[in-house]
């Protein structure tokens, strides 16, 4: 699983960080980041992108993978779920593998505002990379997904935005249940089942990005970070628009952005 790299990753990451700090030109020439494969780098690895043309696209691979994942599944269930962030890079291969076993693959891709995603990774202690680097990786994932979607079967995937899920979690889940041909929530509730879904829905924050907006506003008061923000807007705004409905500039608080793309101090 590429989102949980083995221990050699950490030594590679240390070397990358040292060279990035003290010898950035050398680090760029070696392209070390493109070979790390961690949570904040896996989409840069060409080897992490597996499709239906890969040598692994075989019935033998499908059977082996099913046996591995079956150890964490309840095989009595109609729908079996595996959730790893790096699956976004192998959706075409997974679709082919389950087809080889006469199964059906369905994919739910959940997207977050790139700044919110980066802030969550940083504040949660999952990443030490800069805001710029994390948004660049978000783009690598989304651009890869956009290129892969035309190769997936029609109606085999759903793309959700986290803020939409948070605003009305039950409505989103009802739509997913219908799409997956699962017993409707209302029917489950009448029969005394599905309580976990309703409990989850009541626990979801309707505005999960509010705390990050406050933290980001505080960060923008630092002139050095404000320059990084201006660079993010300049380098990534058009690319973010091309693969999503998100606007990087919407995170400039207050709204009266300067001509150079930077935000004035709060």
């Amino acid at each position: 699983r590429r989102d949980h790299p083995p221990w050699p990753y950490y030594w590679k990451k240390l070397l990358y960080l040292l060279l990035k700090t003290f010898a950035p030109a050398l680090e760029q020439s070696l392209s070390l980041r493109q070979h790390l494969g961690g949570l904040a780098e896996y989409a840069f690895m060409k080897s992490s992108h597996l499709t239906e043309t890969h040598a692994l696209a075989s019935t033998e691979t499908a059977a082996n993978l099913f046996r591995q994942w079956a150890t964490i599944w309840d095989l009595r269930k109609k729908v079996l779920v595996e959730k790893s962030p790096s699956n976004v890079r192998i959706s075409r291969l997974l679709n082919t593998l389950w087809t080889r076993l006469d199964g059906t693959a369905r994919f739910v891709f959940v997207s977050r505002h790139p700044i919110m995603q980066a802030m969550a990774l940083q504040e949660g202690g999952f990443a030490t990379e800069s805001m710029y680097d994390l948004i660049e990786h978000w783009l690598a994932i989304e651009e890869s997904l956009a290129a892969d979607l035309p190769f997936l079967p029609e109606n085999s995937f759903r793309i959700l935005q986290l803020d939409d899920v948070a605003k009305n979690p039950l409505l989103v889940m009802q739509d997913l249940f219908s799409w997956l041909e699962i017993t409707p929530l209302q029917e489950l509730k009448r029969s005394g089942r599905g309580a976990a879904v309703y409990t989850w829905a009541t626990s979801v924050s309707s505005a999960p990005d509010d705390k990050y907006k406050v933290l980001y506003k505080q960060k923008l008061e630092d002139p050095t970070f404000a320059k990084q923000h201006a660079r993010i807007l300049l380098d990534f705004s058009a690319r973010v628009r091309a693969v999503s409905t998100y606007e990087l500039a919407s995170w400039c608080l207050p709204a009266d952005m300067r001509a150079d793309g930077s935000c004035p101090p709060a």
Side-chain angles (χ1 to χ4, degrees):
R1 293 173 54 158
R2 292 175 182 82
D3 49 314
H4 299 287
W7 68 265
Y9 161 80
Y10 300 103
W11 294 106
K12 294 179 183 178
K13 185 65 173 283
L14 177 61
L15 176 60
Y16 159 71
L17 293 173
L18 287 172
L19 289 179
K20 182 181 179 182
T21 302
F22 299 106
L26 177 59
E27 185 279 317
Q28 288 193 0
S29 67
L30 294 175
S31 300
L32 291 180
R33 192 180 180 206
Q34 281 68 29
H35 301 284
L36 289 176
L39 186 61
E41 307 95 8
Y42 66 84
F44 294 124
M45 295 180 64
K46 291 183 179 180
S47 61
S48 73
H49 186 226
L50 308 181
T51 72
E52 65 280 350
T53 64
H54 196 275
L56 289 173
S58 67
T59 303
E60 180 183 4
T61 299
N64 288 336
L65 185 60
F66 183 86
R67 281 194 292 270
Q68 291 178 27
W69 286 1
T71 62
I72 60 173
W73 281 336
D74 181 348
L75 298 181
R76 297 169 298 177
K77 302 296 184 181
K78 180 179 179 180
V79 176
L80 306 173
V81 178
E82 206 291 324
K83 182 189 74 68
S84 294
S86 55
N87 283 347
V88 70
R89 294 279 287 167
I90 61 172
S91 58
R92 289 164 61 180
L93 174 64
L94 289 174
N95 177 71
T96 298
L97 293 179
W98 299 141
T99 301
R100 294 289 179 93
L101 297 180
D102 296 325
T104 301
R106 296 287 180 91
F107 302 94
V108 180
F109 301 108
V110 182
S111 179
R112 304 177 72 175
H113 190 288
I115 291 179
M116 175 180 174
Q117 171 73 359
M119 289 289 290
L121 287 172
Q122 288 182 340
E123 297 301 317
F126 299 105
T128 58
E129 288 75 15
S130 68
M131 188 68 58
Y132 186 97
D133 286 347
L134 291 172
I135 292 175
E136 185 178 27
H137 187 247
W138 181 96
L139 272 167
I141 295 171
E142 294 294 332
E143 289 171 345
S144 173
L145 175 60
D148 283 342
L149 290 179
F151 293 90
L152 293 176
E154 185 178 358
N155 200 38
S156 68
F157 60 88
R158 288 285 190 273
I159 298 178
L160 307 178
Q161 291 189 350
L162 179 64
D163 36 342
D164 290 336
V165 176
K167 289 174 184 175
N168 203 331
L170 282 179
L171 182 63
V172 171
M173 292 303 294
Q174 286 168 358
D175 177 67
L176 290 178
F177 274 40
S178 175
W179 172 55
L180 294 171
E181 299 178 355
I182 299 175
T183 306
L185 281 175
Q186 297 89 336
E187 186 175 332
L188 287 174
K189 188 176 183 180
R190 285 195 297 269
S191 62
R193 296 177 294 163
V197 177
Y198 286 91
T199 300
W200 163 78
T202 58
S203 70
V204 172
S205 170
S206 60
D209 57 343
D210 281 359
K211 62 180 180 180
Y212 295 119
K213 287 184 178 181
V214 174
L215 290 172
Y216 202 73
K217 184 176 181 180
Q218 294 171 352
K219 285 178 174 288
L220 287 171
E221 295 175 359
D222 178 356
T224 300
F225 186 82
K227 289 181 180 179
Q228 181 183 174
H229 177 79
R231 184 182 171 212
I232 289 170
L233 294 183
L234 180 64
D235 292 352
F236 298 145
S237 289
R239 290 174 61 187
V240 168
R241 290 191 201 103
V243 294
S244 74
T245 59
Y246 297 120
E247 281 287 345
L248 290 177
S250 67
W251 281 67
C252 185
L253 310 170
D256 51 335
M257 189 186 304
R258 291 168 173 165
D260 64 354
S262 65
C263 293

